[in-house]
Amino acid sequence: MRKAMMIVTVLVLLLASIPALAQSSAAARDQHSEHMAFNAVEQDWAKQRTDKSPRHQEWVKVKNGDRVVNSFIVYPEVKGKATAVVVIHEIMGLTDWVRSLTDQLAEAGYIAIAPDLLSGMGPKGGGTSEFADRTAVGQAIRDLPPDQVTADLNAVADYVAKLPACNGKVAVGGFCYGGGQTFRFATNRPSLKAAFVFYGGGPESAEAIAKIKCPVYGFYGGSDNRINATIPKSEEMMKAAGKTYEPVIYAGAGHGFIRAGEDPTALEATPEQKAMKEANKKARDEAWVRWKELLKKL
């Protein structure tokens, strides 16, 4: 009898531990999972903001050889011609938040265009919106051929530079995956006026760095050492090549703080979550001020 009771007790304890194990497993998943918000429900706040915008928005199809790059463009309400900014999306693809960010750049006085780099790569030949979840879209983005990404970005930059409303100046800014691609795009397009890298790593070869012709400005979260650990090497190589690279680290902020800093649904149930939410908001506000000041100088 005693042996049977011991077995029952062990089974009860094992069953009770399953939820905790599941939570532990979930917490250990992809380091991006905490800051990723993929589906429409999770980014409804961003969609609502974009939909309420008074600025002219449209989807345009940009040709790149046989490819068509579906791109979201927003025009500023200004009297004269404006500088353009190519926005490179995160690892989650062209989400509602990316559209909102693009609109916010137009609000600041710039023509902003965000290409969906997954155009034509969806399950049915579409783009980001055709993928069922963030795991699928993230893997699809990781599988994109680098040369195709460069060609898509060049096609979009060419398109926006030739618009009658544009003054011919084009800068680029990207986030997370897009931050790394922004740094890389600077090595492939000498006519860029500036590259704004938000929490993305830099090129690893001196040969690539040597091709950069524009200043590179970095925006990094203080609690994002995965990315921050790459900054010293980028600083060293950029300095050796005589290039301008100005990274700023925002204390306490996490990876993805430009989005997380304005997300009203960000978690704050624990002291740690509350502190991160506050740090992300502060970093976002400060980074936006800096970004707009730099854009004015172009």
Side-chain angles (χ1 to χ4, degrees), residues 21 52-53 81 124 155 162 165 202 277:
L21 288 172
K52 292 178 181 178
S53 170
K81 297 191 176 203
K124 299 179 181 179
K162 295 174 183 177
K277 181 176 181 177

Side-chain angles (χ1 to χ4, degrees), residues 84-88 111-115 153 156-157 160 170-174 182 185 192:
V85 181
V86 176
V87 178
I88 308 181
I111 300 171
I113 184 167
L153 294 174
V156 170
V160 74
V170 178
V172 61
T182 292
F185 190 44
L192 287 173

Side-chain angles (χ1 to χ4, degrees), residues 10-285:
V10 170
L11 288 173
V12 170
L13 290 172
L14 286 172
L15 289 171
S17 69
I18 289 176
L21 288 172
Q23 291 178 0
S24 176
S25 175
R29 288 174 188 166
D30 187 341
Q31 58 192 313
H32 289 286
S33 62
E34 185 173 329
H35 73 83
M36 292 173 90
F38 178 76
N39 65 43
V41 174
E42 291 171 324
Q43 290 197 347
D44 188 56
W45 55 273
K47 183 178 185 301
Q48 289 180 17
R49 186 196 186 285
T50 308
D51 290 346
K52 292 178 181 178
S53 170
R55 288 164 288 281
H56 179 78
Q57 309 169 353
E58 62 179 295
W59 288 93
V60 295
K61 296 184 181 300
V62 179
K63 291 285 292 181
N64 168 26
D66 294 333
R67 281 179 52 71
V68 174
V69 185
N70 203 26
S71 305
F72 183 71
I73 187 170
V74 188
Y75 291 86
E77 296 181 325
V78 294
K79 292 182 179 180
K81 297 191 176 203
T83 295
V85 181
V86 176
V87 178
I88 308 181
H89 57 64
E90 301 169 291
I91 194 73
M92 296 92 79
L94 188 50
T95 59
D96 287 330
W97 176 76
V98 175
R99 294 197 306 118
S100 174
L101 184 282
T102 304
D103 181 76
Q104 290 175 64
L105 278 170
E107 183 179 30
Y110 304 92
I111 300 171
I113 184 167
D116 185 354
L117 297 177
L118 286 177
S119 296
M121 312 299 287
K124 299 179 181 179
T128 296
S129 62
E130 285 191 357
F131 289 88
D133 55 52
R134 61 192 179 203
T135 299
V137 75
Q139 187 57 55
I141 287 177
R142 293 184 184 94
D143 290 342
L144 288 174
D147 289 345
Q148 176 180 298
V149 172
T150 298
D152 283 354
L153 294 174
N154 270 321
V156 170
D158 288 342
Y159 169 86
V160 74
K162 295 174 183 177
L163 290 174
C166 183
N167 60 18
K169 297 178 181 179
V170 178
V172 61
F175 307 82
C176 179
Y177 161 84
Q181 290 301 319
T182 292
F183 219 143
R184 194 176 75 85
F185 190 44
T187 71
N188 290 305
R189 190 174 179 88
S191 63
L192 287 173
K193 297 304 179 183
F196 302 98
V197 176
F198 290 84
Y199 28 91
E204 297 185 354
S205 73
E207 292 77 14
I209 292 290
K211 297 177 182 178
I212 296 176
K213 303 298 181 184
C214 69
V216 178
Y217 302 100
F219 301 74
Y220 305 92
S223 298
D224 188 18
N225 193 55
R226 178 182 67 89
I227 294 298
N228 295 351
T230 70
I231 295 175
K233 183 178 180 180
S234 293
E235 287 183 306
E236 180 183 346
M237 290 195 298
M238 289 287 281
K239 183 178 180 179
K243 311 296 181 180
T244 298
Y245 174 50
E246 298 180 6
V248 172
I249 297 176
Y250 297 87
H255 189 79
F257 67 84
I258 292 294
R259 174 175 39 73
E262 65 169 329
D263 183 354
T265 68
L267 299 176
E268 53 181 339
T270 67
E272 293 79 12
Q273 290 173 341
K274 185 176 181 180
M276 179 63 76
K277 181 176 181 177
E278 292 173 351
N280 285 338
K281 183 181 185 306
K282 183 174 184 293
R284 179 194 180 277
D285 292 345

